[in-house]
Amino acid sequence: MAKRIQFSQHGGPEVLQLVEFDPAPPGPQQVRVRNHAIGLNFIDTYFRGGLYAPPSLPSGLGTEAAGVVEAVGEDVNRIKVGDRVAYAGGPLGAYSEVHTLPEANLVKLPDAISFEQAAAVMLKGLTTQYLLKQTYAVQPGDFVLFHAAAGGVGSLACQWAKALGAKLIGTVSSAEKAERAKALGAWATIDYSHEDVAKRVLELTDGQKCAVVYDGVGADTWLTSLDCLRPRGLMVSFGNASGAVSGVNLGILSQKGSLYVTRPTLGSYANNAENTQAMADDLFAMIASGKLVVDIQQRYPLSEAAKAQSELSARRTVGSTVLLP
């Protein structure tokens, strides 16, 4: 028997239950992982609350963790029992002592990276990797605008952009978050609570504006982001924290300088085992070199997943949070 967190109805953190279950043996092309650390992400609360629908109820929760392979099914060739692994993709059920998932969703974890580091960084780190290295290949000297620079992905982007030699300008909502973003490597910050973002970008770049804008906020920042781009610059809309961007008139892209726009997702880049492992290897190398620091500020036992989610939703957490089985 093993223990996991599950929910039988949608609601607040109180619907999460710690239950015992009998893990099934892995099927063809499946692997069972004994989790050592589990990542906590805001999207987990969307499944619990009903914004996103799980395949069925009762349902497990979470998609990110790291641990050791304890069993493999038929036709598993890349992963073997005893391997250290990490994952950031479905199916739901990572909030568990053990989790069974497709071999293709796993990456091999080098000894230099701890289970806690991997569990805390896989989803946000792979997102940062594809944004800065693939969606737009950030170059030394590039002016880059990154919204919510003190957030989960933003905190990693500040460090990674600095390592690439870019000048990342981060938007933040307070002086405290501005200090955090700068400490992590942001070249400059803009407090959107009292500063005009587009105007400040123009001033900071001596009128050049930015080669790329990374916008995970969505509807509220769409037009501002476009105003921060140089002619033929790239708008990367990768999230919708304030609501989805809709009703876009493509003519506005020509009016503002023949701009490009893309709406990427991690699944389009980490779309097979080879690509996912290559992205993870790049991420792990950055961590091992010390250029990327994984800031784990909160650790909760798996049994206190509800408390961890409450703290996350109330924005009382700093850096990353992990659950420990």
Side-chain angles (χ1 to χ4, degrees):
M1 299 294 286
K3 294 180 180 180
R4 74 169 187 167
I5 296 291
Q6 70 176 34
F7 59 104
S8 299
Q9 63 185 47
H10 296 296
E14 70 278 358
V15 303
L16 299 182
Q17 299 175 307
L18 182 68
V19 300
E20 288 193 338
F21 75 109
D22 187 13
Q29 299 181 339
Q30 289 187 329
V31 173
R32 191 170 72 213
V33 179
R34 173 72 55 176
N35 288 332
H36 285 227
I38 300 157
L40 181 75
N41 293 288
F42 216 88
I43 193 173
D44 303 340
T45 68
Y46 294 165
F47 281 103
R48 184 208 71 215
L51 180 62
Y52 295 163
S56 62
L57 291 174
S59 173
L61 194 60
T63 60
E64 180 180 44
V68 175
V69 173
E70 66 173 23
V72 300
E74 296 178 0
D75 301 322
V76 171
N77 303 310
R78 190 173 54 90
I79 302 292
K80 64 182 186 299
V81 172
D83 280 352
R84 302 174 80 248
V85 294
Y87 56 92
L92 294 173
Y95 283 28
S96 179
E97 292 178 339
V98 297
H99 188 32
T100 300
L101 65 167
E103 178 192 23
N105 291 10
L106 297 170
V107 300
K108 293 184 178 180
L109 186 65
D111 292 338
I113 309 301
S114 72
F115 294 119
E116 289 190 10
Q117 286 177 314
V121 80
M122 277 292 290
L123 185 61
K124 294 182 282 288
L126 292 181
T127 298
T128 306
Q129 197 280 342
Y130 86 72
L131 288 175
L132 272 62
K133 300 290 290 292
Q134 298 187 71
T135 304
Y136 174 86
V138 172
Q139 301 298 311
D142 275 346
F143 288 114
V144 172
L145 183 68
F146 207 104
H147 288 292
V153 178
S155 296
L156 297 176
C158 287
Q159 299 177 66
W160 208 319
K162 182 180 180 180
L164 292 171
K167 297 178 179 179
L168 184 143
I169 302 169
T171 70
V172 294
S173 61
S174 68
E176 293 77 17
K177 290 184 177 180
E179 290 181 9
R180 174 174 170 78
K182 287 179 180 176
L184 290 169
W187 177 73
T189 58
I190 301 171
D191 188 338
Y192 63 80
S193 67
H194 66 269
E195 293 183 283
D196 183 314
V197 174
K199 181 180 178 181
R200 282 294 292 142
V201 164
L202 200 63
E203 294 169 351
L204 288 166
T205 64
D206 292 327
Q208 296 182 53
K209 297 188 180 181
C210 296
V212 60
V213 172
Y214 295 105
D215 190 335
V217 177
D220 287 355
T221 50
W222 167 253
L223 290 177
T224 295
S225 293
L226 297 183
D227 285 334
C228 294
L229 283 166
R230 71 188 186 193
R232 294 176 298 182
L234 176 62
M235 166 65 172
V236 182
S237 179
F238 71 96
N240 45 263
S242 68
V245 176
S246 60
V248 175
N249 175 6
L250 289 179
I252 198 170
L253 301 178
S254 65
Q255 295 166 18
K256 294 184 180 294
S258 299
L259 304 178
Y260 294 88
V261 63
T262 184
R263 178 59 174 91
T265 63
L266 176 59
S268 297
Y269 290 86
N271 57 354
N272 59 47
E274 183 180 7
N275 288 344
T276 305
Q277 186 69 59
M279 292 167 64
D281 288 345
D282 193 13
L283 170 64
F284 297 151
M286 288 291 292
I287 297 171
S289 71
K291 295 177 182 177
L292 202 65
V293 176
V294 182
D295 184 21
I296 302 171
Q297 291 285 337
Q298 297 83 212
R299 294 170 174 83
Y300 294 91
L302 179 62
S303 60
E304 295 184 9
K307 179 180 178 181
Q309 286 200 357
S310 295
E311 293 295 294
L312 179 69
S313 297
R315 304 195 183 280
R316 288 192 290 265
T317 62
V318 177
S320 296
T321 301
V322 293
L323 304 175
L324 302 176

